[in-house]
Amino acid sequence: MATEETLVLVKPDGVARGLTGAILARIESKGYSLVDLKLVEPDRDLLEQHYAEHAGKPFYEPLLDFMMSGPSVAIRLAGNRVIEGFRSLAGTTDPTTAAPGTIRGDFGRDWGLAVQQNLVHGSDSTESAQRELGIWFA
Ligand code: IDP
Ligand code: MG
């Protein structure tokens, strides 16, 4: 099987709370390879492409505002089965119920906002990974 790549983002809440290092440590400890990494302040156009599947949902506008509230760290991450492996490290979407031991479960909580601030993004399929890497690492 060819080595896979995924897009990981440390979202603005993770960067603002100083958790980038802790999150990168988990990724590196798991054994995945950092291929490229940069601090990005995405504009609305980039985020509309990235989150196209969520357009029209109640949390869509709050999500875009949140993602424009500060820089994110974008990571091109490689390894066999890294797409599902990073999603497993991240935990489920809602940080309140994400399993302890996961990034979202250990570092996240409900802040009473319209959008779940859940620290990280990870692509959910090979198609999404290729599409999203093209957007963030154009
Ligand atoms: P994922 O990041 O776990 O793949 P998605 O369903 O793709 O979750 O949603 C994208 C992002 O939108 C989530 O990470 C979260 O920040 C936000 N989000 C998703 N569902 C909700 C919701 O029901 N309420 C508030 N925010 C949400
Ligand atoms: Mg998703």
Side-chain angles (χ1 to χ4, degrees):
M1 192 203 320
T3 297
E4 200 171 75
E5 288 189 342
T6 193
L7 174 75
V8 170
L9 301 175
V10 180
K11 292 179 174 182
D13 56 335
V15 174
R17 289 177 57 205
L19 292 170
T20 303
I23 291 167
L24 285 173
R26 290 183 177 215
I27 292 169
E28 291 193 298
S29 298
K30 182 79 170 175
Y32 295 127
S33 302
L34 304 176
V35 179
D36 202 352
L37 181 156
K38 61 181 176 181
L39 199 66
V40 188
E41 296 199 57
D43 60 17
R44 189 179 167 99
D45 178 65
L46 186 155
L47 293 168
E48 285 179 352
Q49 293 180 54
H50 177 75
Y51 281 124
E53 67 174 305
H54 296 305
K57 294 182 184 172
F59 60 84
Y60 178 71
E61 289 296 334
L63 176 59
L64 264 51
D65 287 342
F66 162 52
M67 293 297 292
M68 289 188 289
S69 68
S72 288
V73 174
I75 303 158
R76 181 188 289 273
L77 194 66
N80 293 332
R81 299 175 66 195
V82 68
I83 294 172
E84 65 180 319
F86 178 76
R87 299 270 298 182
S88 176
L89 279 185
T92 50
T93 305
D94 180 352
T96 296
T97 53
T102 66
I103 293 166
R104 288 165 168 172
D106 284 353
F107 301 136
R109 55 161 286 193
D110 189 335
W111 300 97
L113 303 171
V115 66
Q116 280 161 357
Q117 299 202 347
N118 55 8
L119 299 157
V120 290
H121 167 84
S123 308
D124 65 8
S125 67
T126 52
E127 295 72 25
S128 298
Q130 287 314 303
R131 191 181 70 82
E132 293 171 1
L133 285 166
I135 292 169
W136 290 81
F137 288 95

